[in-house]
């Protein structure tokens, strides 16, 4: 009696398993590639946001430099100084009393500096050399390593030469780690002018 065979032979099953493994391997490879790509994109977005956020804070603060409630008081603008290219100190009349406060809780000496790949800000930079002890980090080193923070200052005389306006060029470079041990770097720059003018 002839019996009809049903089902798959061993060879057919092995071929089906190999094809299935190839398909699963391809899907897993594509998935891993997409996950790495998404992680790298998120790291770059976080780096850009970190640099933009700190640049906004730095430029907004420095634009206040020299402000005094007393138009005759030049002490605030005279306190401005760029030290070593990666540290800046400045003052402004935070409490609007027209007096540069150097003691107590109302100190009006501020500063930014680069320290160990972190940009730091101080509201007690009265030492004048960017070496006070009250610095606090304003960037996160797990998001971005700040490799360069440069501030250059230049004086711009007006047409009649009676007013000295300071122009600042701020440059910040940050790095972040990507998949495969690679590193991505981004640099942003901004030019600002101190509106609080100092008469010569």
């Amino acid at each position: 009696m002839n019996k009809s065979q049903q089902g798959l032979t061993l060879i057919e099953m092995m071929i089906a398993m190999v094809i299935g493994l190839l398909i699963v391997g391809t899907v897993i490879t594509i998935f891993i590639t997409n996950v790495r790509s998404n992680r790298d994109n998120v790291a770059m977005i976080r780096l850009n946001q970190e640099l933009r956020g700190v640049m906004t804070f730095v430029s907004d603060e420095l634009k206040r430099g020299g402000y005094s409630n007393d138009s005759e008081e030049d002490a605030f603008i005279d306190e401005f100084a760029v030290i070593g290219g990666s540290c800046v100190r400045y003052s402004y009349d935070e409490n609007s009393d027209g007096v540069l406060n150097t003691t107590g809780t109302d100190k009006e000496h501020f500063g930014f500096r680069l320290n160990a790949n972190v940009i730091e800000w101080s509201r007690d930079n009265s030492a004048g050399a960017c070496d006070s002890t009250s610095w606090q980090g304003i960037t996160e080193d797990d998001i971005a390593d700040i490799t360069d923070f440069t501030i250059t200052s230049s004086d711009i005389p007006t047409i009649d030469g009676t007013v000295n306006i300071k122009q600042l060029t701020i440059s910040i470079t940050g790095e972040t780690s990507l998949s495969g041990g690679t590193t991505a770097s981004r640099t942003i720059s901004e030019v600002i002018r101190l509106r609080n003018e100092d008469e010569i």
Side-chain angles (χ1 to χ4, degrees):
M1 294 179 61
N2 290 333
K3 294 184 178 179
S4 60
Q5 265 188 331
Q6 293 182 353
L8 300 173
T9 65
L10 182 59
I11 295 175
E12 290 172 331
M13 287 182 64
M14 291 177 68
I15 291 172
M17 286 176 61
V18 169
I19 292 172
L21 287 174
L22 289 173
I23 292 172
V24 169
T26 303
V27 169
I28 290 174
T29 302
I30 292 172
F31 176 76
I32 290 172
T33 302
N34 284 339
V35 168
R36 286 181 179 165
S37 176
N38 287 339
R39 186 170 55 213
D40 290 348
N41 285 339
V42 169
M44 287 302 298
I45 289 169
R46 292 179 72 193
L47 173 64
N48 288 334
Q49 288 177 335
E50 184 78 354
L51 294 179
R52 279 281 156 218
V54 74
M55 178 63 84
T56 299
F57 179 61
V58 170
S59 63
D60 285 351
E61 271 293 298
L62 291 179
K63 286 175 187 176
R64 293 185 178 105
Y67 161 75
S68 175
N69 194 39
D70 180 358
S71 61
E72 300 294 322
E73 180 59 70
D74 292 336
F76 293 96
I77 195 70
D78 292 339
E79 288 291 312
F80 179 85
V82 176
I83 302 166
S86 62
C87 181
V88 61
R89 59 170 227 196
Y90 61 100
S91 294
Y92 61 87
D93 195 2
E94 186 176 32
N95 59 9
S96 297
D97 65 355
V99 177
L100 178 58
N101 299 313
T102 59
T103 59
T105 58
D106 294 333
K107 292 180 183 176
E108 295 170 324
H109 288 274
F110 308 97
F112 291 102
R113 72 175 181 181
L114 178 62
N115 182 33
N117 292 342
V118 173
I119 295 178
E120 298 177 328
W121 178 67
S122 172
R123 50 178 307 118
D124 179 20
N125 195 24
S126 55
C130 291
D131 57 0
S132 70
T133 58
S134 62
W135 294 93
Q136 58 186 352
I138 58 172
T139 58
E140 297 288 336
D141 54 3
D142 60 334
I143 295 176
D145 283 333
I146 307 300
T147 57
D148 182 60
F149 175 58
T150 306
I151 299 174
T152 54
S153 173
S154 56
D155 293 333
I156 302 174
T158 58
I159 295 173
D160 60 4
T162 59
V163 176
N164 187 16
I165 301 173
K166 291 194 180 300
Q167 177 173 289
L168 306 178
T169 303
I170 309 163
S171 178
I172 304 173
T173 301
E175 291 183 351
T176 189
S177 298
L178 301 179
S179 301
T182 58
T183 301
S185 179
R186 175 121 162 82
T187 300
I188 61 172
S189 297
E190 188 169 333
V191 177
I192 63 171
R193 290 186 178 182
L194 297 186
R195 298 181 184 184
N196 306 298
E197 300 155 350
D198 184 19
E199 294 185 5
I200 298 174

